[in-house]
Amino acid sequence: MTRVPVLMYHAIDPTSNRLDIVDPGEKIYAIDEREFRRQMKHLSEEGYHTICAEDFMSWRSGIGEIPDKCILITFDDGHATNISKGLPILQEYNFRADFFITTGFVGKSNFLTRENILTLRRAGMGIGSHTVTHAMLNDLDIDSIRVELADSKEYLENLLGENVVTLSVPGGRISKIVRKIAKEVGYEAIFTSHTGMNDREANLFSVKRITVRQGTKLTNRLLSSGYVGGKDYILQGALDLAKIGFGNKLYDQLRKSILCLSRNRLRRL
């Protein structure tokens, strides 16, 4: 059975000032440019073919086909390094990716501009929404969720001149009401931070991804199962449970503490 790994990246620069804008605890998700190049080189040498979300969705719906050994690369937030450092490396290996844009950040310091987004699309990259303000959606009331999802979608569609049907939820916060509103405003797939692989039976409104952070190794085991194992597996499991069991404020405090304590250990995995 074909199973598709979906990688989730953020910034490609651990020293970026932008990371303090959204959340200082997210610095661990920014990887070094040299490491990103090594990872893309590894994927190329292992014979992986990149697809975009639209390819995956068509395959999932039984319409299109995908290569036997394929992978989907995604970026959240819309950091400026996605185009200054990420795009040249992707193009070097003839890879494609999907970029989920927080539209309220567009044009701000260290973020993509409108022209940057157009450049990514012209280069064959996929563009999706990452809401307007990067708010945790399950903290919001129904009307506010609708604004975050509908307004970001409309912004990108007006910019690109085409339908935008993919959404990545900030912090991986997903719920029945978020899925319901996403469907109502016209999204056809939601990408989460739930760990795992995606087969042809995958729920398009709960697409699983593999979080790439400082210290993550793109081993064959990880790419074939979605789970790195060992300490990183325990860490991710603890965070997933905490996300379910705690409110966002308490969870974020716990996450920051765990990730800061684990940073050096993750680099050795």
Side-chain angles (χ1 to χ4, degrees), residues 45 71 200:
E45 290 176 344
I71 194 164
R200 208 158 195 168

Side-chain angles (χ1 to χ4, degrees), residues 111-132:
F111 287 93
L112 296 171
T113 65
R114 290 170 60 89
E115 185 57 38
N116 290 156
I117 297 170
L118 289 170
T119 297
L120 288 171
R121 188 65 184 123
R122 294 186 194 112
M125 306 297 160
I127 302 294
S129 166
H130 198 47
T131 75
V132 177

Side-chain angles (χ1 to χ4, degrees), residues 8 30 50 85 93 99 132 145 166 186-187 204 207 218 234:
M8 176 174 63
T50 56
K85 299 183 179 183
Y93 291 98
F99 296 81
V132 177
I145 294 173
T166 57
Y187 289 103
L204 281 179
V207 179
L218 296 189
I234 295 172

Side-chain angles (χ1 to χ4, degrees), residues 3 10 34 53 55 67 81 95 101 105 139-140 156 163-164 169 201 208 211 219 225 227 266:
R3 300 198 302 168
H10 292 79
R34 293 168 297 180
D55 305 312
T81 59
F95 282 172
I101 310 299
F105 297 164
D139 277 344
L140 305 180
L156 292 170
N163 290 337
V164 171
V169 285
E201 302 301 318
K208 297 175 182 178
T211 303
T219 63
S225 68
Y227 294 96
L266 285 171

Side-chain angles (χ1 to χ4, degrees), residues 68-89:
D68 290 335
K69 196 171 186 180
C70 64
I71 194 164
L72 209 167
I73 299 170
T74 67
F75 292 82
D76 281 4
D77 296 342
H79 188 263
T81 59
N82 293 170
I83 194 166
S84 63
K85 299 183 179 183
L87 181 60
I89 296 173

Side-chain angles (χ1 to χ4, degrees), residues 181-238:
I181 295 174
K183 291 178 182 179
E184 289 175 354
V185 301
Y187 289 103
E188 298 176 10
I190 298 178
F191 289 74
T192 73
S193 60
H194 297 164
T195 303
M197 305 284 282
N198 302 278
D199 59 24
R200 208 158 195 168
E201 302 301 318
N203 182 353
L204 281 179
F205 282 83
S206 190
V207 179
K208 297 175 182 178
R209 293 192 288 179
I210 300 167
T211 303
V212 180
R213 51 179 168 252
Q214 293 174 28
T216 299
K217 305 297 183 184
L218 296 189
T219 63
N220 290 333
R221 177 183 180 184
L222 174 63
L223 295 171
S224 63
S225 68
Y227 294 96
V228 69
K231 295 177 181 178
D232 202 28
Y233 175 78
I234 295 172
L235 169 63
Q236 187 62 53

